[in-house]
Amino acid sequence: MSLTSDPPVEQAVPEQAVPEKTVPEKTVPEQTVSPQAGPSPADDPAALKVVPVRHPWRWAAIVVTAVLIAQFVHGLVTNPAWEWGVFAQLFTAETVLRAVWVTLQLTVYGTALGFALGIVLAFMRLSASPFLRWVAFGYIWAFRSVPLIVQLLFWFSLAYLYKRLDFGIPFGPGFVHVDTMGLVGAMGAAVLGLALHQAAYAAEIVRGGVLAVDGGQLEAAAALGIPRLRQLRRIVLPQAARSILPNATNEVISLFKGTSIVSVMAIGELFYQVQVIYGRNGRVVPLLMVAAAWYVLLTTVLSVLQYYVERHFSKGATR
């Protein structure tokens, strides 16, 4: 019996721990790898099989082209109408070699004088003076418009147009008189016509090359106090040469082959001399092949020279 009036305290019964509901883990079966098996192709790119791209039409074009070239070469070798024996005999004949020398002279003189005048015309077109620009434009327009054969015949007929040339006061009396009959011969007229014709094209080639040079370099050179002539010689022209050389070489090669047109003036260049020879012996085809072979040979030499000159001027621009 309790001695106090307080009600009896019930003894707290500890709650029974309820176990948490656990989710069974999904068991993943382990992948067994055989020790002898190598890595799969997906893991090792080197084990993938590389299949080259097929080009059936390219190979078909190669076969057709090779067959056509072989047929052409076979025809050159086996067709007796080419007369390769006559070709070999006349290829290094003395008259042909002299004609080749005349052709080279016409090319060298026409190129040197033409590009010298073309450089002057190019800078006249780039000048700040409207008068100089229009004079250069008029020259280029006139000489590009008139066919070369007409220009050659005009200079060849200079003695007919002007009996003599007077040097003295403009529109006044002359002090020095020159007879034009002995002044301009056939060779001189050919060189003059080729050079003046070439100058019109050379001027545009040089002008295009100069315009390709960044103008900021000239501004920087002017800010450093470099003289204009030195800017042109050391900054503009070396960089413009990279753009000028390919087109200039094309013009030289065209002039080299275009010298055949002076045959109308009875100058003994290559094509004229070949015509004279086959007019005597009737061997037209082998002699035309002689001329073609010399043109191909010398054009190849010019192309090789172009390669080395371009490589020289491209230093620092290409890697």
Side-chain angles (χ1 to χ4, degrees):
M1 180 180 287
S2 175
L3 297 179
T4 61
S5 60
D6 294 336
V9 179
E10 298 179 357
Q11 186 177 359
V13 180
E15 295 181 359
Q16 186 178 359
V18 180
E20 294 181 359
K21 189 175 182 180
T22 60
V23 179
E25 297 181 359
K26 183 185 274 188
T27 60
V28 180
E30 296 183 359
Q31 185 177 3
T32 59
V33 180
S34 175
Q36 281 103 9
S40 63
D43 298 331
D44 187 11
L48 295 174
K49 183 179 180 181
V50 179
V51 179
V53 181
R54 311 297 185 189
H55 299 286
W57 291 109
R58 179 187 300 177
W59 285 105
I62 291 174
V63 171
V64 171
T65 306
V67 170
L68 292 176
I69 293 174
Q71 286 183 326
F72 177 73
V73 174
H74 180 266
L76 287 178
V77 174
T78 59
N79 190 348
W82 291 103
E83 299 183 82
W84 293 112
V86 179
F87 169 84
Q89 181 183 358
L90 296 175
F91 183 73
T92 56
E94 184 180 355
T95 54
V96 173
L97 294 179
R98 285 201 302 265
V100 171
W101 174 242
V102 173
T103 300
L104 289 175
Q105 284 182 307
L106 290 171
T107 304
V108 171
Y109 295 152
T111 300
L113 296 176
F115 273 88
L117 180 58
I119 292 174
V120 176
L121 291 170
F123 284 100
M124 287 175 65
R125 285 213 63 187
L126 296 171
S127 173
S129 170
F131 177 76
L132 294 179
R133 289 201 305 267
W134 279 104
V135 169
F137 176 80
Y139 178 95
I140 295 170
W141 167 77
F143 279 86
R144 288 199 304 185
S145 301
V146 180
L148 177 58
I149 189 172
V150 176
Q151 298 179 37
L152 292 173
L153 294 176
F154 171 79
W155 294 112
F156 190 62
S157 305
L158 184 64
Y160 171 77
L161 296 173
Y162 301 98
K163 304 300 181 184
R164 69 178 189 181
L165 297 178
D166 297 334
F167 297 93
I169 300 176
F171 306 104
F175 304 111
V176 179
H177 310 285
V178 178
D179 186 12
T180 56
M181 183 62 69
L183 179 64
V184 181
M187 190 70 175
V191 171
L192 188 60
L194 292 173
L196 295 178
H197 179 78
Q198 187 73 11
Y201 293 90
E204 292 298 281
I205 292 173
V206 174
R207 185 173 71 92
V210 172
L211 291 176
V213 179
D214 187 9
Q217 299 190 31
L218 295 179
E219 295 176 0
L224 293 173
I226 300 177
R228 293 293 298 272
L229 184 60
R230 191 174 182 183
Q231 294 178 26
L232 175 65
R233 184 170 53 89
R234 301 299 298 272
I235 298 175
V236 176
L237 288 181
Q239 296 183 74
R242 290 196 292 266
S243 301
I244 292 172
L245 279 173
N247 296 324
T249 306
N250 286 338
E251 282 300 314
V252 174
I253 292 174
S254 298
L255 179 64
F256 168 67
K257 295 182 295 184
T259 55
S260 59
I261 204 171
V262 304
S263 60
V264 298
M265 303 164 63
I267 297 176
E269 51 82 42
L270 180 58
F271 186 67
Y272 177 82
Q273 198 62 43
V274 164
Q275 287 179 309
V276 171
I277 297 174
Y278 73 62
R280 294 174 182 172
N281 59 16
R283 307 293 187 181
V284 179
V285 174
L287 281 162
L288 288 178
M289 288 299 297
V290 167
W294 274 111
Y295 284 125
V296 169
L297 177 62
L298 295 176
T299 301
T300 304
V301 173
L302 289 175
S303 300
V304 172
L305 290 176
Q306 173 193 1
Y307 168 77
Y308 284 105
V309 174
E310 284 186 3
R311 191 173 71 171
H312 171 74
F313 281 100
S314 64
K315 292 178 180 178
T318 58
R319 295 183 180 180

